[in-house]
Amino acid sequence: EIVLTQSPATLSLSPGERATLSCRASQSVSSYLAWYQQKPGQAPRLLIYDASNRATGIPARFSGSGPGTDFTLTISSLEPEDFAVYYCQQRSNWVYTFGQGTKLEIK
Amino acid sequence: EVQLVESGGGLVQPGRSLRLSCAASGFTFDDYAMHWVRQAPGKGLEWVSGISWNSNSIGYADSVKGRFTISRDNAKNSLYLQMNSLRAEDMALYYCAKESGEGYFDYWGQGTLVTVSS
């Protein structure tokens, strides 16, 4: 099973700052990686798929990079609504795994 | 508009069974794989199980293999999760999720809560 490790566990930043979240896979997942945002009391929302493609309706300040084993989600300039928990996810032969999440909190 | 509505959660004793359902609308259900993802209170997301559009391919997390069974009824636009031999560690909010066709979850329901306690 491919393990996804996210870092940091918590990231404290201010609105307007740049956020960089990392996701490392235990083996190569090519570009088959997605990022989700989850706010309290809400279901997750797909942000990025195939490592770098924004999902429908996702603002351009969200971007992703890969491929291979090291992936990054970048939020270029934080808006108040961006403070949430972010998860990465991969799929491989009908086994899907999530990272443990990064909590992005207001500093 | 895509809608996924889960039902069937509730309080159940350890060792007992529960069947979750997910009613889908707003898209061609039998074109897409579907999944169950759970989230224990205060914890992260855990993929539980997935099923292809025609039920020919099915996957389970190791934590539920042999105890949970996923199924679908394309005529009823519905997804199911039969959960047997429930344990305390199965207690979670269970989400139904639509796969985009590329291995990602593009639509989610609001979840149904499963509580396992004596």
Side-chain angles (χ1 to χ4, degrees):
Chain A
E1 175 182 309
I2 296 175
V3 176
L4 299 178
T5 303
Q6 292 187 239
S7 62
T10 304
L11 185 58
S12 300
L13 294 171
S14 301
E17 290 192 292
R18 181 184 186 91
T20 302
L21 288 67
S22 295
C23 177
R24 173 166 289 179
S26 58
Q27 61 189 82
S28 177
V29 297
S30 186
S31 295
Y32 300 128
L33 189 108
W35 290 92
Y36 300 83
Q37 177 193 67
Q38 187 179 32
K39 297 179 180 179
Q42 296 184 16
R45 177 174 70 147
L46 178 64
L47 297 176
I48 300 286
Y49 66 94
D50 285 346
S52 60
N53 296 310
R54 278 189 302 277
T56 303
I58 302 304
R61 63 181 181 273
F62 291 91
S63 63
S65 64
T69 58
D70 290 310
F71 297 83
T72 300
L73 173 69
T74 301
I75 310 172
S76 58
S77 179
L78 286 165
E79 297 287 341
E81 62 267 27
D82 298 336
F83 293 91
V85 180
Y86 291 83
Y87 297 94
C88 56
Q89 173 252 322
Q90 69 83 33
R91 52 104 173 172
S92 175
N93 296 326
W94 278 96
V95 176
Y96 300 67
T97 53
F98 289 92
Q100 81 279 19
T102 289
K103 181 179 181 180
L104 179 55
E105 64 177 24
I106 300 176
K107 188 173 182 179
Chain B
E1 178 193 5
V2 172
Q3 284 199 317
L4 299 170
V5 180
E6 303 92 338
S7 61
L11 175 63
V12 62
Q13 293 179 328
R16 304 298 293 265
S17 299
L18 208 58
R19 188 193 196 209
L20 305 184
S21 299
C22 171
S25 61
F27 64 102
T28 305
F29 184 72
D30 54 12
D31 276 351
Y32 295 94
M34 297 293 296
H35 298 262
W36 291 98
V37 177
R38 68 185 181 184
Q39 187 168 36
K43 302 298 184 181
L45 301 171
E46 180 187 17
W47 175 79
V48 173
S49 182
I51 185 169
S52 64
W53 66 274
N54 60 0
S55 303
N56 282 353
S57 294
I58 287 176
Y60 297 98
D62 286 344
S63 58
V64 307
K65 203 171 291 184
R67 300 187 299 122
F68 289 12
T69 302
I70 192 171
S71 62
R72 64 189 294 162
D73 185 337
N74 288 343
K76 295 183 178 179
N77 287 354
S78 292
L79 176 72
Y80 306 101
L81 186 68
Q82 178 66 42
M83 304 186 296
N84 297 334
S85 303
L86 282 161
R87 305 167 180 168
E89 54 264 36
D90 295 319
M91 186 162 61
L93 185 64
Y94 283 72
Y95 291 105
C96 168
K98 170 186 169 293
E99 189 181 306
S100 63
E102 298 151 336
Y104 312 115
F105 311 122
D106 56 354
Y107 289 94
W108 300 65
Q110 285 304 303
T112 187
L113 184 63
V114 173
T115 302
V116 183
S117 176
S118 55

